[in-house]
Amino acid sequence: NKGINKVAYSYIYERQNNALKEAFNNYCKLLSENNSAMKNLNKEIEKFKSQNADWLEKDSLYEALSVKYNNDYWPQWSDEIDRNLFNMETKEGKITAIERIAQLKEQYGSEIEFYCFCQYIAAKQKEEMKNYALNNGIKMIADRQVAFSDRDCWANQSLFLKGWCLGCPPDYFSKDGQAWGFS
């Protein structure tokens, strides 16, 4: 229809993911062949992973568990250890979590590395876009994140009140207020 703007997000996501997987597979293949350019890229990626380890390890494990459960909403995961991996309070629970993390890294190593690779690519693109804009006098306005991702909530459950989410109080537009459904 003329005049109706639509975006095929699922199509775009799938194609982008396919392109990233192809790039990752090529990177892995060339790295295994001792390609010097890939060795340099690997050093950059390892540096990125090291500098961002505080969030990247948790996020990549979340990605692995999302693959395992074919669902990226952690409250629906069937295993209690997986739902609470970074929130074990007892010494025994923490030991169990450490063992589970090692198991996930072994079982889902490729998915974890792919996720880290994608995060590296996104960070590089963001940095290059920012530098281009600054060097060419381009000013940008963008939305800011106003809540926490499910990944953040999963990894830091002790920081959130159970059953509470962001929203707004009653006002002219909504006499009962609005629950936005995210933390």
Side-chain angles (χ1 to χ4, degrees), residues 66-104:
S66 295
V67 168
K68 175 185 187 237
Y69 291 105
N70 198 29
N71 181 335
D72 67 351
Y73 188 55
W74 66 272
Q76 294 179 349
W77 296 345
S78 59
D79 189 285
E80 187 174 341
I81 293 170
D82 290 346
R83 284 194 314 269
N84 296 290
L85 199 57
F86 292 100
N87 299 288
M88 301 293 190
E89 294 182 13
T90 66
K91 183 178 179 181
E92 295 80 16
K94 289 179 181 179
I95 292 170
T96 300
I98 290 168
E99 291 169 352
R100 179 65 174 141
I101 289 168
Q103 186 181 53
L104 287 168

Side-chain angles (χ1 to χ4, degrees), residues 93-131:
K94 289 179 181 179
I95 292 170
T96 300
I98 290 168
E99 291 169 352
R100 179 65 174 141
I101 289 168
Q103 186 181 53
L104 287 168
K105 286 180 177 180
E106 185 174 328
Q107 188 173 4
Y108 294 96
S110 181
E111 289 86 353
I112 289 169
E113 288 305 312
F114 175 63
Y115 182 83
C116 293
F117 176 83
C118 291
Q119 294 304 306
Y120 168 79
I121 296 295
K124 288 295 281 185
Q125 288 179 338
K126 179 182 171 188
E127 182 182 326
E128 288 177 16
M129 180 187 65
K130 179 181 173 187
N131 289 336

Side-chain angles (χ1 to χ4, degrees), residues 120-158:
Y120 168 79
I121 296 295
K124 288 295 281 185
Q125 288 179 338
K126 179 182 171 188
E127 182 182 326
E128 288 177 16
M129 180 187 65
K130 179 181 173 187
N131 289 336
Y132 180 84
L134 289 172
N135 292 332
N136 290 284
I138 299 170
K139 294 182 181 183
M140 294 185 289
I141 299 173
D143 290 340
R144 299 296 291 176
Q145 184 173 332
V146 297
F148 295 92
S149 71
D150 288 336
R151 293 167 195 266
D152 293 330
C153 295
W154 168 77
N156 303 287
Q157 292 174 43
S158 64

Side-chain angles (χ1 to χ4, degrees), residues 36-48:
S36 61
M38 291 305 112
K39 283 184 179 181
N40 290 334
L41 178 59
N42 188 54
K43 285 179 187 174
E44 277 189 49
I45 292 172
E46 290 303 318
K47 181 179 176 184
F48 171 81

